[in-house]
Amino acid sequence: IGIGVVIRIIVCRSSNPSDWSELSEFLLCASGDLVKVFSTSTEECVHVLEGHTGQVTGVILNPTNHLQVYSCSADGTIRLWDFIDGILIKIFVCGWPIFSIYVSEKHVGIAFITIHMEKNFQLVALHLPKVPEQEVEAREMSAVLCNISSNPGSTAMGRGGEYVASVMGRQLTVYFFKKLKTYRFSLKATDKKGAKNAFTCVACHPKDDCIATGHEDGKIRLWRNFNQKKEYTYSTQHWHHDAVGTLCFTTEGMHLLSGGVESVLVQWHCEEVNKKDFLPRLGGAISHICVSPDGQMYSTSHLDNKINIIHCSLKLSAVIQGLVKGNIWTDLMIDPRTRALVMNGRPGHLQFYSLQQDKQLYSLDIVQQEYINQEGLDQFEVMRAAFSVGGTWLATVEERGRCTSDLESSLKLWVYNEKAQSFELNTTITAAHQDRIMHMCFSPSTETTMLVTTAWDNQFKVWLLGLDSDTQKEHASWSCDYVGSYHGLQPTNCCFSSDGSLLAVSFKEVVTIWSSDTWELLTTLCQPPGPIRELCFGRLSCSKYLLGTTAKNLFCWNLLTCSLEWSTPMDVCLLRSDPLSENVVAFSLHSGNTDLFVFRPSEPRPLFTQKAVCGGKVQRCVFSPREEPLDSCDERFQWLNRSRLYFLTELMELLTFSTKAEDERILNSRKQLLVDDSVAVTPFYLLLGKHRQQQEEKQNSGVSQAADRVQPPQASVAIKELLHTPAHVLPAASFLCSMFVNSLLISNTGSRYGSLRFC
Amino acid sequence: MGEFNVHRVRFFDYMPSAIRALAFQPQRERIAVARTDGTVEIFNRADCFFQEKVIPGRQQAATEALAWVGDRLFSAGLNGEIIEYDLDNNKTKYTIDAYGGPIWSITSNKQGTHLAVGCEDGTVKLFEVHEDRIQFERNLAKQKGRIISLSWHPSGSKIVAGMMDVIHIFDTETGKLRALAFPSYDLLGTSRSQECVVWSVVYLSDGTIISGDSAGKVKMWDSRTGTLIKSHQVTKWDVLTLSVSQDETSLAVGTSEGHVVQFQFLSMVLGQEDKEWVRTRTFKNHTHDVRAVLEVNTAIVSGGMDTQFVVRPLLDKIDERGQASALRNIQFPHRRLVSCARKAGLLLFQYPGHLELWRLGESEGNGERKRENTTLSIKRKRWIAYSTVASFRLYRLHCENNNVSIIKVSKLPKVLSSANQICFSSDSSHLFVASTCSSVHVAILNQSGCKFVCTLKPKSGSGQAINLLAASEDGKWLASANSDHEVQIYNLNKMKPHCTVPVHSSGVSAMAIHPTTNNLFMVHADQQLTEYSVEKKQYTDWSRQVQRHGLHSLWLERDTPVTNVTFNPKNPAHIVLHDMYMFCIIDQTLPLPDQRSQFYNQLTLRSMPEKERKKHSHAFKMCKIFKELLFVELMEDQSLVVVERPLMDITAQLPAPVRQKKFAT
């Protein structure tokens, strides 16, 4: 990594084990190598606990101190944090990558961790030494269970830490700490009906000795009497049609919560086994459920990087949505209006993700059909999307039946409605092409609104916004203007020149240049061997250049001379130009790693090279214009001044480049939100707290009137308002300042002056 | 093994009737089953649930409940009568009217001194059980409405009665409603307008009362305080029956959607004494109402409208895999309902109320509609004999071309009043009628009629009824088996007992005497095969070899008994057997299968070259291509008669079930 440039991982928040703070005020969530503390009332990230150098695999509250949290990571450390203030308290170095962590009140000073040892996963009891130093070596460990699953959900601590239950394959293992005895219960591989019996997850009842296990066929079994070899018993419940993803008992054990691929939270009543409540349509498949210690709140984390916070009456109270990571078919795009990153989000949706705020702005339903959460179904997916220059128009392509021969696709055009502040569907063109649409782009010219699509049916089509005289302008719709083809070859890419006068379409090895006014084939450029992969025009001063890539070479044509300006042998997998500068970025896969080159089409010498940006192939990239240009004087980083480059790796991690100075600034400006340290408004608080307040008021009232004068009531309210409102919803400080200072002034009793005025 | 012409018979419309009540006798491990047609069947739990006895009854009795008092079995029905059965001779012993209108339930106390019956008029009547009769003792305090269900406290001093909307506790000493008035059952949670029927109650020794009602709930009550401890909504429909295990740790609940739900009395926190009833397993073996369940130590037995008798083993109580750990589903009776004239090609079907005579090879059937009330009927050559509960009839059959006529033989010997089993000798010259106390009456048949010869009595003097008779081809021997598992062989020339076959622990489900060797071939309920040489009075070498070698585990794991044995007249080494799911030819010349060898090997054998076939073939040739079998017989002309009764046809005749499973409910 070059000096001054840091590759910063922007988004890798994944739905990892999360836990609740004591009073269900905060939700703690592992996110990459960070632990994030979210406020449940504002959905805002309050703290980021940084320090781990590997993926955080588990977060669990310290059972003896509910203001502290343990986190474990693949870097082999357990860290103890004060999450209210975001302070690291202790580091326990274990030395083995840790896959999950379990603690219980009964085992003080011991953490149960899953590590990979002797070719299988083991649950070991790790003794956490009590020493004053911050960083401690914790080497004292003893094996509890061998050959367990590495999945954190497949092991659970039993009631009061008396036993631990773990599932693996078709076996449930229960280990009693007191008696040092292990019981194993196996299920048959399949019964006559061909049920898939393998265990998927386990949960233990907090008050009774009851173990709930989830199974691959969607069944939930409740085991009892598991301290008997033969006389154990279980009852079976079945609602899920697919594997049970996760199970969790509520704090008092009244309910059992389960979730899976159906994306429905099922609340089973432990007393009335037939009774169950549902909360459907939560998002992606549920991967983890946890319950706040006071039992008021549930949270479900989903595979699409979403956390729902649900009140125990099964009402959705907050949603924390990260960047949805699923199958990405569309390009990465920047919405010109909001500067949000736009890509595939939930199935059938486009997500608008604000990179500045690291949160989803909204999700646009493109397909407008209910998504069925079941594997193996062929459902509509958004395959392509493109924005017009000003962001007024959005074109999308959705497809179904790619794998089978009967392809269904439609091209949709969306117009931005200023009033509604959202996109509205303008035109739907079903079967715009006879085959799959491969590429599309809007013309950058401001005079006409024009869209070009290329498809596998050997044609490219030009679509225009119809301005028919007999229809009103509001109902103007899109229609096909021109159909072009070239020798029956299959078009792959298309690209407009920066002024919109020329359209370049690549047909296999040939690049054709068309005039966008007359749709006349102006010239063809050909540089065998190999078909053209990427095509892009230069910008600004380099707009006369056209860049193209094949599997072996990168070409640059001068369109004024219609000749090859230069070419260089390199395997470019991705080529993208910065709309605000002449810079072009090229990613090239080289021996398993991707190299990055930044250059100007006018000169074949790269401005900036970065070898091995990331492992594997870079999938997508995009330039995002900066709100305020940087004024970096270092020549090597000048390309970062106007725009910022984001790229998506094979592991679906979104990366970007930032300078060191910039990074420090971000660190310093990180919001430190104030924490409300008052007690939660529980029924007890309402009863006792109010009573106490009244008592205090009574006592205070007798003390003196002066006290009131020193702290006028309205002033304290204003201060409280100011200090207890989350910073991001406050108006500018300059606006608040005068009000704040005013409130500190001691006001005169109005009666005297009032009477004076009227006298 | 040879090929047979097969007569596939599907016109025997045998229809079992629904099971109404079950009762368990723990000392002798017998289960009594009452069916809606008034029949009572006795199954032996220790002997692979073999159906030992069938006591015919009348449909009008509308049996509602069964009760064992020691070894004695009582039933009560909606005709208001209490019946005691004579289990030795498979018949009703006496009938007493309770004078309380229809009787809904009958239970005995644990001490075996009293019977309580719940009547339509709202009285609980106590009967004292005497040596040979029962005697009315008193009425407990009369209530409004019918008494649906009853349960004694194990101490015998209290009795709980389930009624419409109410549960009452009576003191049996005073006959009064208990001072501690039990609250009305109105509880229900359903609307008040709807009447709630307490279909079943159980009184546990710790004072807990468990009730099952028509609102689909199982409720646990504290009888001392009269408070509800816990309520479980088991089903949306009715909870029809409850049964608690003898150690009171497990409860089986039968519901009208065909599920049997198990509750267990478990400690919620391991190692602590506090226990709670927790719903655990659900068994879905029935399609219709489960009208009766039983908790029999190691299994849950259930029966209902779908006529099946299901034995669901509780695997946690069973130590090893074997016969006891298999799920049993008893649909057909463990005896023959079809009789066949091998030479004439005639089939006689036994229905509960009539007989049907069919001739093979033609599609035309001859109905023989007689009001008849079971008990065997056998016919060979030109005679048909049948016996009802009350009388014995003999007919002469004339069969000329397509004309079939029967002539009743009048003037039967008086001694032939009623029979458990009937058998003709092979040349039709003799008639053997099994009578009470294991005795067999012998009569000579000739043109003029029937003449009584003598009565054969076993040496042992057993009082049990005979359930199988077999006469030898040469007319010299007669074998009889009774429900005490005794097999007696008589010499018909001397009209004297010849010998007794050593008693096997399991009952004989089918037997026959070999036509050439005169060996008695017996199949037992536990699937063991024995062959006894009548002349030598000892087991044959083959039989000893079977005992030594042991049978293949797949043979032993079959859950239906063999109900018929015949021999191949062309090949004396071949024995033809059948049970409900298969028929089998045993070739005594071939070696017995090894435990490791493939048991169902016909297909593999067929694919082998001729030479290797010999090496791999073994004595058992199984055939499973037919539907559920009621009868298989090899005719004189080497054709095979197969009487099938597909279970699908039986299910199709049942009423529509209450509930059908819908996805995601």
Side-chain angles (χ1 to χ4, degrees):
Chain A
I1 290 169
I3 300 162
V5 176
V6 183
I7 300 171
R8 199 155 63 86
I9 300 172
I10 290 289
V11 182
C12 59
R13 179 197 298 162
S14 52
S15 307
N16 261 326
S18 45
D19 209 339
W20 286 86
S21 73
E22 174 76 327
L23 296 165
S24 63
E25 225 175 316
F26 300 110
L27 180 71
L28 300 150
C29 162
S31 165
D33 53 2
L34 309 173
V35 176
K36 290 190 176 175
V37 184
F38 289 96
S39 160
T40 53
S41 48
T42 62
E43 309 172 14
E44 201 65 21
C45 177
V46 184
H47 287 296
V48 177
L49 309 179
E50 270 177 293
H52 280 293
T53 53
Q55 170 91 18
V56 178
T57 49
V59 179
I60 195 156
L61 284 185
N62 184 353
T64 50
N65 183 350
H66 284 296
L67 300 177
Q68 295 177 348
V69 66
Y70 285 111
S71 68
C72 68
S73 158
D75 64 3
T77 60
I78 297 172
R79 286 167 197 247
L80 182 64
W81 311 82
D82 178 340
F83 60 86
I84 303 275
D85 298 324
I87 301 165
L88 177 65
I89 299 171
K90 257 188 167 42
I91 306 172
F92 301 99
V93 181
C94 141
W96 302 81
I98 304 167
F99 293 89
S100 53
I101 183 166
Y102 312 93
V103 291
S104 101
E105 241 171 282
K106 210 181 160 215
H107 304 270
V108 179
I110 290 176
F112 298 92
I113 54 173
T114 312
I115 57 171
H116 191 253
M117 202 189 245
E118 289 156 17
K119 289 183 188 160
N120 63 41
F121 288 96
Q122 295 193 349
L123 184 74
V124 296
L126 182 74
H127 188 76
L128 303 175
K130 274 191 181 167
V131 283
E133 291 90 36
Q134 197 191 33
E135 191 162 340
V136 199
E137 292 262 309
R139 297 280 178 203
E140 200 182 313
M141 52 170 94
S142 53
V144 177
L145 288 174
C146 292
N147 199 10
I148 65 165
S149 162
S150 64
N151 176 12
S154 62
T155 305
M157 291 296 282
R159 174 188 59 86
E162 296 261 336
Y163 54 90
V164 63
S166 180
V167 293
M168 169 92 169
R170 279 182 291 275
Q171 195 173 56
L172 166 71
T173 313
V174 184
Y175 177 79
F176 286 88
F177 291 110
K178 233 182 223 166
K179 288 183 268 177
L180 306 176
K181 237 180 152 180
T182 312
Y183 294 92
R184 288 175 208 281
F185 309 102
S186 294
L187 291 176
K188 267 185 242 161
T190 49
D191 61 13
K192 276 171 201 148
K193 288 166 194 152
K196 294 175 285 176
N197 266 339
F199 287 94
T200 54
C201 52
V202 66
C204 296
H205 196 283
K207 297 283 188 278
D208 296 343
D209 283 321
C210 173
I211 297 175
T213 57
H215 297 262
E216 229 163 54
D217 53 357
K219 282 182 181 150
I220 294 172
R221 290 189 164 88
L222 292 169
W223 300 73
R224 289 177 194 277
N225 252 18
F226 39 80
N227 61 350
Q228 314 273 323
K229 255 215 159 72
K230 285 200 70 69
E231 303 228 330
Y232 68 88
T233 177
Y234 60 78
S235 56
T236 312
Q237 303 294 327
H238 200 170
W239 182 85
H240 294 276
H241 67 69
D242 219 318
V244 182
T246 175
L247 285 171
C248 183
F249 277 100
T250 55
T251 319
E252 290 300 314
M254 290 299 286
H255 304 298
L256 172 67
L257 305 170
S258 70
V261 122
E262 303 87 357
S263 185
V264 180
L265 179 71
V266 186
Q267 178 176 273
W268 306 81
H269 295 247
C270 289
E271 297 285 305
E272 285 273 341
V273 279
N274 279 351
K275 223 169 133 190
K276 45 193 177 281
D277 304 314
F278 305 101
L279 185 62
R281 295 187 195 89
L282 288 174
I286 298 176
S287 64
H288 186 78
I289 299 173
C290 68
V291 179
S292 68
D294 62 358
Q296 287 290 304
M297 293 284 181
Y298 309 149
S299 78
T300 57
S301 46
H302 300 258
L303 282 185
D304 62 351
N305 214 352
K306 183 183 187 184
I307 296 174
N308 284 313
I309 297 166
I310 296 158
H311 190 255
C312 58
S313 58
L314 288 192
K315 280 198 186 107
L316 198 62
S317 84
V319 179
I320 299 166
Q321 174 76 63
L323 186 70
V324 180
K325 290 191 294 183
N327 292 326
I328 308 275
W329 288 289
T330 63
D331 271 332
L332 295 187
M333 287 164 296
I334 298 293
D335 175 20
R337 280 170 194 280
T338 56
R339 297 176 188 233
L341 182 71
V342 180
M343 59 196 268
N344 280 111
R346 285 162 58 192
H349 287 63
L350 280 183
Q351 60 175 330
F352 287 67
Y353 194 83
S354 166
L355 294 162
Q356 286 78 31
Q357 294 159 37
D358 192 10
K359 67 191 271 190
Q360 196 182 67
L361 294 181
Y362 60 94
S363 185
L364 183 66
D365 190 356
I366 301 294
V367 169
Q368 299 186 332
Q369 277 182 16
E370 182 83 18
Y371 183 76
I372 302 162
N373 284 297
Q374 191 178 338
E375 277 167 48
L377 292 183
D378 192 13
Q379 302 183 64
F380 273 110
E381 283 289 356
V382 184
M383 299 306 286
R384 304 274 175 265
F387 278 101
S388 70
V389 174
T392 327
W393 290 95
L394 167 68
T396 59
V397 175
E398 64 205 50
E399 276 181 10
R400 181 165 77 169
R402 291 185 301 282
C403 312
T404 55
S405 54
D406 47 335
L407 178 87
E408 280 179 75
S409 79
S410 58
L411 173 68
K412 282 181 177 171
L413 286 134
W414 307 74
V415 66
Y416 191 77
N417 187 333
E418 291 284 350
K419 235 186 241 168
Q421 291 285 303
S422 72
F423 282 96
E424 278 175 1
L425 186 61
N426 177 274
T427 309
T428 306
I429 303 153
T430 47
H433 281 269
Q434 272 147 33
D435 213 328
R436 298 185 60 187
I437 292 175
M438 284 314 292
H439 204 268
M440 65 180 179
C441 62
F442 275 98
S443 160
S445 81
T446 43
E447 292 125 50
T448 51
T449 327
M450 187 192 288
L451 176 75
V452 176
T453 54
T454 64
W456 277 1
D457 60 354
N458 303 339
Q459 286 174 340
F460 72 90
K461 285 187 181 176
V462 181
W463 307 86
L464 269 181
L465 185 63
L467 295 168
D468 286 342
S469 51
D470 44 324
T471 55
Q472 295 200 340
K473 210 193 168 200
E474 281 145 6
H475 299 292
S477 62
W478 291 73
S479 54
C480 186
D481 185 51
Y482 178 76
V483 180
S485 63
Y486 181 77
H487 291 289
L489 293 174
Q490 206 173 58
T492 48
N493 268 303
C494 62
C495 182
F496 273 103
S497 67
S498 55
D499 60 350
S501 62
L502 294 179
L503 171 72
V505 184
S506 61
F507 289 92
K508 286 225 161 144
E509 291 150 23
V510 187
V511 180
T512 54
I513 309 290
W514 307 73
S515 153
S516 67
D517 297 330
T518 58
W519 295 116
E520 181 187 353
L521 180 60
L522 297 177
T523 183
T524 59
L525 305 163
C526 184
Q527 211 64 237
I532 302 285
R533 271 201 205 155
E534 299 270 343
L535 206 58
C536 115
F537 273 99
R539 302 276 164 184
L540 305 178
S541 63
C542 297
S543 55
K544 61 184 173 187
Y545 297 106
L546 174 67
L547 295 161
T549 66
T550 64
K552 297 220 170 86
N553 289 297
L554 170 68
F555 299 106
C556 177
W557 289 282
N558 186 335
L559 291 176
L560 296 180
T561 60
C562 289
S563 61
L564 189 69
E565 187 85 4
W566 52 268
S567 78
T568 167
M570 64 189 287
D571 174 20
V572 175
C573 57
L574 205 55
L575 191 72
R576 188 68 77 232
S577 65
D578 181 0
L580 298 182
S581 67
E582 292 94 353
N583 299 324
V584 177
V585 64
F587 288 96
S588 148
L589 188 67
H590 184 73
S591 63
N593 288 321
T594 301
D595 303 335
L596 169 125
F597 302 93
V598 182
F599 60 94
R600 286 193 177 153
S602 51
E603 43 192 327
R605 186 179 59 85
L607 290 171
F608 176 79
T609 0
Q610 174 84 52
K611 292 268 177 201
V613 172
C614 65
K617 199 176 156 190
V618 168
Q619 303 288 311
R620 304 271 191 271
C621 73
V622 72
F623 275 104
S624 158
R626 283 182 193 275
E627 282 175 61
E628 293 163 33
L630 288 180
D631 44 353
S632 169
C633 42
D634 191 340
E635 200 188 326
R636 295 176 59 210
F637 310 125
Q638 273 176 3
W639 65 280
L640 286 170
N641 281 0
R642 304 294 303 275
S643 317
R644 174 175 267 205
L645 177 69
Y646 292 94
F647 56 98
L648 200 64
T649 67
E650 241 172 21
L651 299 169
M652 290 296 167
E653 279 180 330
L654 189 67
L655 306 179
T656 189
F657 279 90
S658 65
T659 60
K660 230 173 199 169
E662 198 189 351
D663 232 38
E664 276 162 17
R665 217 183 54 211
I666 289 171
L667 210 68
N668 293 337
S669 68
R670 180 156 282 152
K671 285 175 276 181
Q672 301 279 331
L673 287 184
L674 259 171
V675 173
D676 190 354
D677 53 358
S678 67
V679 271
V681 188
T682 59
F684 275 114
Y685 170 78
L686 289 177
L687 278 172
L688 296 175
K690 265 199 181 154
H691 185 60
R692 203 169 290 161
Q693 265 183 358
Q694 281 171 359
Q695 277 185 339
E696 279 171 11
E697 270 169 31
K698 268 182 199 165
Q699 283 169 1
N700 288 346
S701 59
V703 177
S704 69
Q705 292 272 321
D708 281 13
R709 211 165 288 165
V710 174
Q711 282 194 323
Q714 83 253 36
S716 65
V717 166
I719 294 167
K720 223 175 179 183
E721 275 286 319
L722 188 67
L723 295 180
H724 288 80
T725 315
H728 68 285
V729 296
L730 279 179
S734 56
F735 176 75
L736 285 173
C737 185
S738 57
M739 218 167 80
F740 182 65
V741 172
N742 273 337
S743 70
L744 291 175
L745 294 174
I746 302 160
S747 65
N748 286 310
T749 45
S751 57
R752 213 173 71 198
Y753 286 96
S755 61
L756 267 178
R757 205 173 288 163
F758 288 109
C759 281
Chain B
M1 205 75 287
E3 288 179 0
F4 301 102
N5 282 329
V6 176
H7 294 279
R8 210 166 179 167
V9 178
R10 286 234 182 134
F11 39 73
F12 184 20
D13 294 328
Y14 168 70
M15 186 65 201
S17 56
I19 292 174
R20 185 61 196 84
L22 294 168
F24 183 53
Q25 212 283 354
Q27 285 84 37
R28 304 191 59 199
E29 305 208 70
R30 298 296 198 274
I31 296 167
V33 178
R35 294 190 184 261
T36 44
D37 64 353
T39 316
V40 173
E41 294 162 4
I42 309 287
F43 289 83
N44 187 349
R45 196 194 73 87
D47 191 9
C48 307
F49 289 92
F50 182 58
Q51 189 186 43
E52 281 188 336
K53 288 168 189 166
V54 178
I55 305 165
R58 288 176 307 129
Q59 190 151 18
Q60 292 88 324
T63 314
E64 275 290 317
L66 288 170
W68 288 93
V69 179
D71 287 347
R72 296 162 69 180
L73 181 66
F74 295 88
S75 79
L78 293 181
N79 64 351
E81 286 174 347
I82 302 170
I83 302 170
E84 180 173 359
Y85 294 94
D86 179 357
L87 294 180
D88 286 346
N89 295 310
N90 298 356
K91 61 185 188 187
T92 308
K93 204 169 180 180
Y94 58 85
T95 305
I96 280 184
D97 201 315
Y99 300 108
I103 301 175
W104 290 91
S105 63
I106 180 167
T107 53
S108 65
N109 60 354
K110 213 168 190 178
Q111 292 71 27
T113 56
H114 285 86
L115 274 174
V117 294
C119 302
E120 175 81 15
D121 66 354
T123 54
V124 176
K125 294 175 193 289
L126 284 190
F127 285 84
E128 203 175 347
V129 181
H130 293 294
E131 197 75 359
D132 52 345
R133 291 201 80 78
I134 53 170
Q135 178 73 49
F136 175 73
E137 195 173 281
R138 70 154 158 279
N139 279 334
L140 302 183
K142 187 173 173 175
Q143 301 298 318
K144 262 191 177 171
R146 57 181 72 135
I147 308 279
I148 303 288
S149 48
L150 282 174
S151 176
W152 288 82
H153 187 264
S155 71
S157 62
K158 282 170 278 181
I159 193 163
V160 61
M163 301 178 63
M164 316 295 273
D165 291 338
V166 190
I167 297 174
H168 286 301
I169 306 176
F170 299 97
D171 198 318
T172 52
E173 303 295 318
T174 60
K176 285 186 183 142
L177 209 62
R178 287 255 301 168
L180 220 174
F182 201 71
S184 84
Y185 193 80
D186 49 36
L187 41 131
L188 311 175
T190 58
S191 62
R192 283 275 180 129
S193 57
Q194 232 173 348
E195 209 171 30
C196 180
V197 186
V198 183
W199 283 118
S200 187
V201 284
V202 171
Y203 206 158
L204 302 183
S205 51
D206 65 355
T208 309
I209 294 172
I210 302 173
S211 68
D213 60 46
S214 61
K217 286 181 175 139
V218 172
K219 298 192 168 187
M220 282 78 185
W221 307 83
D222 187 334
S223 69
R224 281 173 284 269
T225 56
T227 46
L228 180 66
I229 302 170
K230 202 154 185 197
S231 167
H232 295 270
Q233 181 80 46
V234 172
T235 169
K236 282 183 194 161
W237 291 272
D238 292 25
V239 170
L240 291 175
T241 168
L242 301 171
S243 168
V244 75
S245 66
Q246 279 160 43
D247 55 1
E248 297 189 350
T249 58
S250 171
L251 174 80
V253 177
T255 68
S256 62
E257 58 182 321
H259 296 176
V260 174
V261 180
Q262 194 194 7
F263 283 81
Q264 279 174 285
F265 198 47
L266 299 174
S267 49
M268 299 307 279
V269 174
L270 293 175
Q272 286 190 11
E273 285 298 299
D274 303 352
K275 289 190 174 181
E276 265 182 56
W277 286 98
V278 180
R279 179 180 170 164
T280 54
R281 279 164 273 212
T282 306
F283 305 117
K284 301 176 183 173
N285 299 95
H286 291 278
T287 54
H288 289 67
D289 292 19
V290 178
R291 298 301 296 265
V293 285
L294 268 188
E295 269 264 10
V296 181
N297 307 329
T298 59
I300 290 180
V301 178
S302 56
M305 293 301 288
D306 57 358
T307 74
Q308 300 174 32
F309 179 80
V310 176
V311 181
R312 179 78 192 212
L314 296 172
L315 293 176
D316 54 333
K317 304 261 174 68
I318 296 165
D319 291 325
E320 55 195 86
R321 246 178 85 82
Q323 295 242 327
S325 68
L327 171 74
R328 269 167 207 279
N329 207 334
I330 300 170
Q331 269 128 342
F332 292 165
H334 293 165
R335 62 200 169 105
R336 282 194 311 180
L337 295 176
V338 180
S339 164
C340 173
R342 290 169 68 167
K343 282 190 186 114
L346 295 167
L347 286 176
L348 189 68
F349 298 149
Q350 181 188 342
Y351 288 90
H354 63 271
L355 300 173
E356 265 180 23
L357 184 68
W358 294 77
R359 183 156 52 194
L360 286 176
E362 290 161 50
S363 56
E364 179 189 348
N366 292 299
E368 181 98 350
R369 313 226 165 240
K370 289 267 154 109
R371 225 208 64 67
E372 205 259 9
N373 229 338
T374 72
T375 311
L376 234 264
S377 47
I378 289 190
K379 180 221 76 349
R380 210 155 277 191
K381 289 203 176 146
R382 297 290 177 256
W383 300 90
I384 291 178
Y386 75 78
S387 165
T388 68
V389 176
S391 62
F392 180 88
R393 298 278 156 78
L394 184 66
Y395 293 88
R396 186 190 289 272
L397 179 74
H398 290 284
C399 191
E400 281 157 13
N401 298 326
N402 283 338
N403 297 327
V404 176
S405 60
I406 53 168
I407 304 160
K408 186 178 170 189
V409 178
S410 53
K411 285 191 198 162
L412 287 174
K414 271 197 185 130
V415 77
L416 303 177
S417 60
S418 172
N420 291 318
Q421 283 286 319
I422 311 168
C423 174
F424 288 91
S425 68
S426 62
D427 57 356
S428 299
S429 62
H430 286 77
L431 171 69
F432 309 108
V433 178
S435 179
T436 54
C437 298
S438 294
S439 60
V440 182
H441 302 299
V442 183
I444 288 181
L445 299 172
N446 51 31
Q447 288 300 322
S448 58
C450 176
K451 210 175 117 202
F452 175 69
V453 182
C454 68
T455 301
L456 300 171
K457 276 196 177 146
K459 281 182 201 154
S460 66
S462 163
Q464 291 290 319
I466 286 172
N467 59 5
L468 281 173
L469 278 177
S472 70
E473 192 77 11
D474 58 6
K476 201 175 168 192
W477 310 104
L478 177 74
S480 75
N482 69 12
S483 36
D484 266 350
H485 311 171
E486 285 174 4
V487 179
Q488 192 78 37
I489 296 167
Y490 300 98
N491 187 330
L492 292 177
N493 291 352
K494 296 179 185 164
M495 290 296 172
K496 260 184 176 173
H498 175 67
C499 65
T500 309
V501 178
V503 176
H504 188 261
S505 60
S506 176
V508 180
S509 66
M511 67 176 183
I513 297 175
H514 199 283
T516 51
T517 59
N518 271 349
N519 290 337
L520 177 65
F521 194 89
M522 290 168 288
V523 189
H524 297 273
D526 61 356
Q527 312 296 358
Q528 289 295 335
L529 307 170
T530 49
E531 195 184 30
Y532 189 79
S533 168
V534 174
E535 275 144 16
K536 290 179 187 158
K537 295 189 185 178
Q538 62 181 27
Y539 283 119
T540 61
D541 291 341
W542 187 83
S543 180
R544 284 171 204 279
Q545 195 193 338
V546 168
Q547 293 307 318
R548 250 197 330 272
H549 191 272
L551 289 158
H552 198 277
S553 59
L554 283 177
W555 174 267
L556 294 175
E557 277 168 21
R558 292 177 311 115
D559 62 348
T560 50
V562 169
T563 48
N564 194 23
V565 177
T566 50
F567 303 96
N568 187 347
K570 293 274 156 57
N571 190 342
H574 285 183
I575 301 156
V576 183
L577 312 172
H578 85 89
D579 69 7
M580 185 171 150
Y581 298 105
M582 61 99 210
F583 89 90
C584 158
I585 298 172
I586 296 174
D587 190 336
Q588 287 181 312
T589 57
L590 287 173
L592 290 164
D594 239 319
Q595 212 47 258
R596 285 179 303 280
S597 59
Q598 193 189 5
F599 191 61
Y600 299 103
N601 63 352
Q602 271 92 313
L603 273 180
T604 12
L605 284 184
R606 209 169 294 166
S607 64
M608 281 179 186
E610 194 74 35
K611 279 178 190 168
E612 269 186 60
R613 240 183 246 187
K614 268 227 167 102
K615 214 167 74 192
H616 285 92
S617 59
H618 57 70
F620 290 83
K621 311 286 174 195
M622 314 280 279
C623 172
K624 284 194 163 187
I625 58 168
F626 299 109
K627 294 268 189 207
E628 289 75 11
L629 293 168
L630 275 170
F631 184 72
V632 173
E633 179 82 272
L634 202 56
M635 307 297 277
E636 292 281 280
D637 57 351
Q638 286 285 294
S639 64
L640 200 65
V641 176
V642 175
V643 180
E644 291 176 303
R645 179 63 179 159
L647 288 181
M648 288 291 286
D649 295 0
I650 292 181
T651 342
Q653 288 187 32
L654 293 171
V658 181
R659 177 192 189 231
Q660 261 141 0
K661 168 80 183 155
K662 271 191 211 142
F663 180 70
T665 50

